Amino acid sequence: MPALGELEAAYVEAMGDAAFVAEYERLLRTYVGRPTALTHARRMSEHLGGAQIYLKREDLAHSGAHKINNALGQALLAKLMGKRRVVAETGAGQHGVASATVAALLGLECVVYMGTVDMARQQPNVFRMKLLGAEVRPVDAGTRTLKDAINEAIRDWVTNINTTHYLLGSALGPHPYPTMVRDFQSIIGREARAQILEMTGRLPDQCIACVGGGSNSIGLFHAFRDDADVELIGVEAGGEGIASGKHAARFGDPAVGRLGVLHGTKTFVLQDPDGQIAETHSISAGLDYAAIGPEHAYLRDLGRAQYTYATDDEALNAFSTLCKLEGIIPALESSHAVAEAIKRAPQMKKDAILLVNLSGRGDKDLDTVMKAIRDE
Ligand SMILES: *Cc1c(COP(=O)(O)O)cnc(C)c1O
C-alpha cells in the first residue's frame, strides 16, 4: 500500500507539471511518431456495402502497437520519481518490448518477467527485448504464462521499492494503475476524435476496439465518453467459441465470468466455482487474460459501453480481409475489432461511420497465421 500511495501522489503531481507533460508530448511526437494516421478503409467499406470504416492506425506507432504510449509515460514517471530500474510483465512479449524500448531510450535498467511457456512460443520477442538491453527473467511457476509473470513482477517491485518502478502494461492492477494507463492511452481517442471531425465533419456512430486488459479500448473510448450518441463497443476473445470453454470472454460467458479480485483489481474474472482462476485461450496472446480492466466493468454496468466477442476463426477471416482489401497486416488482437466491424457494417447505412482502433501491426503474428492456414 505505501508503494501504491507513493505512485499515486507522484502521478497526480506529474500530470499537473507542465514540464513533465511537455516532455511526454515531445517524445510522443518525435520518437513514437504521433499523431498516428486515421485511414478511411474505402475498399473494405465498399466491399461490405454499408457503413464507412475508419481505422485509427496504432500499428504505425513505434514498436508496432499502442503499448508504447503507456510504457513511455510510466518510464518518464519512474525517472521523475528517482527510480533507475523498471520491472515489467509480459505475455506475448509486446509489453516487454515496449518497456525495453523506452528503458533504452531513457537509460533505465529493465527486467521483464515472462512465463517459460510464453518464452518458448514468443522467441522473436525474447530476442528483441535482449537486443534492447533488457534482462528477461523466466517464470516457472503455475501455468508459466502471463498471470504468473505478473505475480513475480509484483514481488520484485515490493522487494526493491526504493529503486524500482513496476511498469504495468494494461488498464489493470491496483489503483492508480487503471486510471494512469487510461490517461496515457487516451491520446488515441483525443487524436481520433479530432481527425474524424476534420475528415468527415462529424462524430462516428460507433467506436470499436478489442479488449484484452482493456488499455487500447479505454484509450479510444475515453475521449467519446460524453458523446452520448457515439456507441462504444468492446470486443473480447471468443477463442474456439463460448461453448468450448476455450476463450477469454470475461463478459461473454456468465457461467465463468464473475466478480472477483485478481492482481489487485476487483472486476470480472474468469474463474471456477471455487474462485480459482480459469485457464483462458485466444489465438491472439494479447487478449488471453482472465480479468478485464475495472473501468470496463463500470462502463458496462452503466450501459455506456457494450461488449461482445469474436472467435479465433472470425479474427483470422478479418485479418486476411484487411490484408487483401486495404494493404494492412493487422495484429490478431486488432483483427477481433475488425471482425466486429465486418459484422456490423453491412447492416448500416452508407453514410454511417464506424471508427475501429487498429491497436497494432501483425508482423509478430505471421507464424501463428501460417500455422492456422496450414491446419485448415
Ligand atoms: C497487448 C495488445 C492488446 C491487448 O491489450 P489491451 O490492454 O486490451 O489494449 C491489443 N492489441 C495489441 C496489438 C496488443 O499488443
Side-chain angles (χ1 to χ4, degrees):
M1 286 310 295
L4 293 169
E6 181 197 345
L7 179 59
E8 183 182 11
Y11 174 63
V12 169
E13 198 183 322
M15 292 314 262
D17 177 347
F20 177 87
V21 174
E23 178 64 355
Y24 177 52
E25 287 175 351
R26 185 184 73 81
L27 289 170
L28 284 179
R29 225 170 29 246
T30 62
Y31 185 74
V32 175
R34 305 207 71 91
T36 57
L38 184 71
T39 302
H40 182 193
R42 230 177 268 273
R43 289 192 66 216
M44 188 165 77
S45 305
E46 231 163 72
H47 171 78
L48 296 168
Q52 301 307 305
I53 296 170
Y54 287 79
L55 304 170
K56 180 58 174 162
R57 302 289 307 281
E58 292 302 293
D59 59 312
L60 298 177
H62 179 50
S63 72
H66 68 292
K67 289 211 167 68
I68 190 119
N69 303 325
N70 167 53
L72 178 63
Q74 285 196 48
L76 283 170
L77 185 62
K79 277 206 105 161
L80 191 73
M81 293 172 79
K83 316 256 160 145
R84 52 178 169 71
R85 180 173 179 269
V86 292
V87 293
E89 82 294 342
T90 202
Q94 293 305 106
H95 176 57
V97 169
S99 299
T101 299
V102 296
L105 174 72
L106 300 176
L108 293 162
E109 189 188 326
C110 179
V111 172
V112 181
Y113 288 91
M114 190 168 187
T116 47
V117 167
D118 288 336
M119 282 179 76
R121 52 184 183 194
Q122 305 290 341
Q123 283 180 21
N125 272 343
V126 174
F127 187 54
R128 265 184 206 110
M129 287 183 264
K130 289 181 179 168
L131 281 176
L132 292 162
E135 180 194 341
V136 181
R137 283 201 191 154
V139 177
D140 225 353
T143 52
R144 304 186 201 109
T145 56
L146 178 62
K147 93 176 150 49
D148 313 289
I150 297 177
N151 293 342
E152 289 310 313
I154 294 174
R155 281 192 188 108
D156 183 315
W157 185 38
V158 299
T159 309
N160 301 296
I161 194 81
N162 289 328
T163 58
T164 301
H165 170 68
Y166 175 25
L167 211 170
L168 209 160
S170 190
L172 281 164
H175 182 70
Y177 281 104
T179 310
M180 183 167 70
V181 175
R182 178 203 67 199
D183 288 348
F184 285 135
Q185 293 293 1
S186 64
I187 184 78
I188 301 172
R190 282 202 306 280
E191 284 177 7
R193 194 176 183 283
Q195 288 167 320
I196 197 88
L197 280 173
E198 195 187 304
M199 286 170 77
T200 70
R202 69 178 188 87
L203 292 174
D205 296 282
Q206 303 182 357
C207 291
I208 305 176
C210 66
V211 191
S215 70
N216 85 87
S217 46
I218 207 75
L220 177 69
F221 293 174
H222 196 57
F224 296 94
R225 68 198 180 283
D226 295 329
D227 302 315
D229 292 341
V230 179
E231 285 181 60
L232 307 175
I233 297 127
V235 187
E236 299 185 284
E240 295 176 16
I242 300 302
S244 73
K246 291 182 177 171
H247 63 76
R250 289 73 36 116
F251 292 148
D253 188 353
V256 277
R258 290 183 288 116
L259 200 59
V261 175
L262 178 59
H263 295 131
T265 314
K266 185 178 183 187
T267 183
F268 275 65
V269 181
L270 291 170
Q271 53 191 302
D272 75 8
D274 296 329
Q276 296 287 355
I277 304 309
E279 288 223 21
T280 52
H281 163 83
S282 171
I283 194 166
S284 61
L287 303 184
D288 199 350
Y289 181 66
I292 189 165
E295 195 168 348
H296 288 288
Y298 176 64
L299 291 177
R300 180 172 176 261
D301 276 2
L302 286 179
R304 180 64 192 93
Q306 320 160 37
Y307 296 84
T308 180
Y309 59 84
T311 63
D312 290 352
D313 286 346
E314 289 168 338
L316 279 166
N317 175 53
F319 176 97
S320 52
T321 302
L322 200 66
C323 288
K324 291 193 178 105
L325 292 182
E326 297 294 338
I328 297 170
I329 301 176
L332 280 172
E333 290 84 1
S334 323
S335 301
H336 286 70
V338 176
E340 183 62 19
I342 290 174
K343 289 178 200 168
R344 285 174 181 253
Q347 279 138 46
M348 298 169 74
K349 294 209 198 88
K350 286 213 163 93
D351 60 356
I353 299 174
L354 281 179
L355 174 56
V356 178
N357 199 24
L358 212 69
S359 53
R361 67 177 184 227
D363 307 51
K364 68 184 178 63
D365 295 319
L366 296 186
D367 275 353
T368 309
V369 174
M370 251 185 285
K371 187 172 175 302
I373 291 172
R374 224 176 21 232
D375 290 353
E376 215 169 85

